[in-house]
Each structure stands twice: as structure tokens, then as C-alpha cells.
């Protein structure tokens, strides 16, 4: 599980936000560095607007992180598609046309 902080608001990291979806930004790390060699990757813990965290927000974030850590064993990993499980045309390693119709980009590489 990645734990990351951002300077921007959560909306800045949404599908139409200026920085793009946080999942797309984290994809190279979560998929390429962690999932590809065999790790189960849990959804990230993201702190938005970290430069604006005061004592009250910090206490809330600590409680939220504590809850996430307490439930790691029951948290489902991100369902990335396995490279050699039949979802990709070999040797091109492109997603088969019949999978994730209408999707493009990193979202297509997750099992829905």
C-alpha cells in the first residue's frame, strides 16, 4: 500500500482534475514496480492538501491511517490484469479487444 501526500485538493486528482486521476499517477509504481514482480497492491492512502494540515486534521488523518492499517489483512488488493493470464495479445502485450470495451488508458488494465 502506497501512502502519499499531495499539495493539491482531492478534486485536482480526479478524472477531470488538472493533475489527472490519482490512480493514473500512481499506476507506474503500483503496477509496474509492485504488482508486476508479484506483490499484492492495496489501494493507496492519500493525504490531499498536506500543506494545510492543522492539529485537528492531523489527528483525523492519524485515526484514518490507523483504521486502514488495522484492516490491511481484509482489504482487497487492486485487481490488475495479469500479463500472462490470457488478457493480453502476445507478443504485442496489448489488451484483447473484447476486454474492457470503451475503456482506454490505465483503467482498462484493472479487472472490473
Amino acid at each position: 500500500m502506497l501512502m502519499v501526500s499531495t499539495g493539491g485538493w482531492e478534486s485536482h486528482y480526479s478524472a477531470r482534475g488538472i493533475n489527472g486521476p490519482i490512480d493514473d499517477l500512481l499506476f507506474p509504481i503500483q503496477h509496474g514496480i509492485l504488482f508486476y514482480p508479484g506483490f499484492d497492491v492495496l489501494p493507496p492512502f492519500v493525504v490531499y492538501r498536506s500543506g494545510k494540515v492543522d492539529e485537528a486534521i492531523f489527528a483525523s488523518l492519524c485515526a484514518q491511517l490507523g483504521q486502514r492499517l488495522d484492516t490491511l489483512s481484509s482489504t482487497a488488493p487492486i485487481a490488475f490484469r495479469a500479463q500472462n493470464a490470457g488478457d493480453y495479445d502476445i507478443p504485442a502485450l496489448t489488451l484483447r479487444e473484447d476486454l474492457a470495451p470503451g475503456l482506454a488508458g490505465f483503467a482498462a488494465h484493472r479487472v472490473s
Side-chain angles (χ1 to χ4, degrees):
M1 175 179 80
L2 296 180
M3 294 186 289
V4 299
S5 62
T6 73
W9 299 0
E10 186 171 358
S11 63
H12 298 179
Y13 299 89
S14 64
R16 295 181 54 85
I18 187 74
N19 297 316
I22 193 72
D23 288 335
D24 284 3
L25 295 172
L26 298 177
F27 185 87
I29 299 169
Q30 292 183 134
H31 184 271
I33 295 173
L34 298 173
F35 177 76
Y36 183 76
F39 288 94
D40 285 334
V41 182
L42 302 181
F45 183 84
V46 183
V47 175
Y48 297 96
R49 296 191 74 200
S50 60
K52 301 294 183 185
V53 171
D54 60 19
E55 271 189 55
I57 295 170
F58 182 75
S60 174
L61 288 168
C62 287
Q64 291 171 44
L65 179 57
Q67 183 177 3
R68 280 293 304 275
L69 294 174
D70 287 343
T71 60
L72 287 181
S73 63
S74 62
T75 301
I78 299 171
F80 291 120
R81 296 178 185 278
Q83 174 179 309
N84 298 319
D87 289 348
Y88 295 92
D89 290 326
I90 306 293
L93 287 179
T94 53
L95 190 60
R96 289 188 356 233
E97 289 294 326
D98 60 311
L99 298 176
L103 283 180
F106 298 130
H109 300 283
R110 294 173 84 162
V111 180
S112 49

